[in-house]
Amino acid sequence: MQCARPLSILTDSGLSFVTTKEDLDRTCPSFQEALKCIRAYTRRCMSYDQRKHFKKLFHGTNLMVHELCKNGTYQEEYLTYAPCMKEVESQTKVCFTRYAEAMHDIQTKTNLEEEREEIMDTDIFTYEKRKRETADKGMRDVCCAFQEYLECSSSSTRKQCGEGAEKFSRKFLDQMSSALIRNHCHEYSPQVCGIDASPGSGSMILPSLTMILISLSHFLR
């Protein structure tokens, strides 16, 4: 969707370049225009049920833009932590690189397993069972890779910016995370994934939600 491009700043960079009130004042009109454009698109091109589902998935982004772009506590809190979070960006990019490589490996491995299952001479019941098992494992791998990324990047935030910044980033993450991710990854906590995570870990700089959504949708087919 062309008009959603300005919002990719939120999901792909975590606003790492916006560190002052002047930056927000300059950027927020683009965010608000994007939201207006998206609402018009959904009214024009989606059915009622599709709009209802999309609104649920997009609620966090809409709320975050509203809170961030109005003068108030949330905006003040963000501007307090933003300069330090920008300094952490280079460290979290290392975490993201590892995450992107893991996602690529998961996708490649899953595709190979699916191709192998398709050429095996098995009955339809066995085929569907194996296909479901492959999808379940793929879902777990995607969600655990995401959890590992969060702990890696939040560790950097804690060390350099303190617990206050980490708590704020958790709030940002909760709002920006798609409902699709929350609904399908809630079973895979850091403990389930074997990750030594601190309570409330999160990061201001998110990996591309588009990447996660595409990967999850592959296993939800």
Side-chain angles (χ1 to χ4, degrees):
M1 195 187 303
Q2 186 76 17
C3 59
R5 281 190 175 181
L7 297 177
S8 65
I9 294 170
L10 300 178
T11 59
D12 295 351
S13 71
L15 287 172
S16 59
F17 75 97
V18 182
T19 58
T20 67
K21 181 69 164 64
E22 290 72 24
D23 290 337
L24 279 178
D25 290 342
R26 187 169 54 251
T27 307
C28 280
S30 297
F31 293 160
Q32 291 160 344
E33 280 300 312
L35 293 178
K36 183 179 178 182
C37 177
I38 290 169
R39 285 193 293 270
Y41 172 83
T42 58
R43 285 194 299 269
R44 186 173 64 252
C45 302
M46 293 184 182
S47 67
Y48 172 77
D49 288 339
Q50 288 173 329
R51 288 199 305 273
K52 187 176 179 181
H53 183 63
F54 182 84
K55 185 177 180 181
K56 182 179 179 181
L57 293 179
F58 208 64
H59 174 72
T61 301
N62 195 33
L63 179 63
M64 208 285 296
V65 169
H66 177 72
E67 290 297 318
L68 191 66
C69 291
K70 75 172 184 179
N71 295 329
T73 303
Y74 188 89
Q75 186 187 88
E76 291 172 0
E77 197 173 2
Y78 168 76
L79 292 173
T80 298
Y81 298 122
C84 184
M85 289 178 173
K86 182 173 178 61
E87 294 179 11
V88 182
E89 183 180 7
S90 61
Q91 299 172 41
T92 57
K93 280 184 177 178
V94 174
C95 301
F96 176 74
T97 298
R98 273 188 252 155
Y99 170 79
E101 290 172 352
M103 294 290 279
H104 179 267
D105 290 344
I106 290 167
Q107 192 69 61
T108 301
K109 183 178 179 181
T110 301
N111 289 340
L112 289 173
E113 289 178 355
E114 288 182 347
E115 290 174 5
R116 182 173 60 84
E117 288 166 6
E118 287 177 359
I119 62 175
M120 290 179 66
D121 185 18
T122 57
D123 60 83
I124 187 65
F125 176 78
T126 303
Y127 170 75
E128 290 297 333
K129 182 174 181 290
R130 286 178 176 170
K131 185 177 179 181
R132 184 67 259 166
E133 289 172 349
T134 298
D136 289 344
K137 185 179 184 303
M139 180 79 73
R140 183 187 189 281
D141 290 345
V142 167
C143 293
C144 287
F146 183 55
Q147 290 284 10
E148 189 171 356
Y149 167 81
L150 293 183
E151 178 53 28
C152 175
S153 54
S154 65
S155 176
S156 299
T157 303
R158 278 196 308 275
K159 289 176 182 176
Q160 189 153 333
C161 303
E163 291 185 8
E166 184 185 4
K167 288 179 180 178
F168 180 82
S169 69
R170 177 78 257 178
K171 186 175 8 176
F172 177 90
L173 175 63
D174 287 342
Q175 288 181 325
M176 289 302 299
S177 292
S178 164
L180 183 61
I181 297 171
R182 291 196 298 271
N183 289 343
H184 293 285
C185 288
H186 71 279
E187 296 180 5
Y188 303 106
S189 65
Q191 290 73 25
V192 171
C193 294
I195 300 168
D196 184 17
S198 64
S201 62
S203 172
M204 193 63 178
I205 303 173
L206 295 171
S208 170
L209 288 180
T210 303
M211 179 190 294
I212 303 168
L213 292 174
I214 290 173
S215 298
L216 284 176
S217 64
H218 176 81
F219 301 113
L220 293 171
R221 292 179 301 181

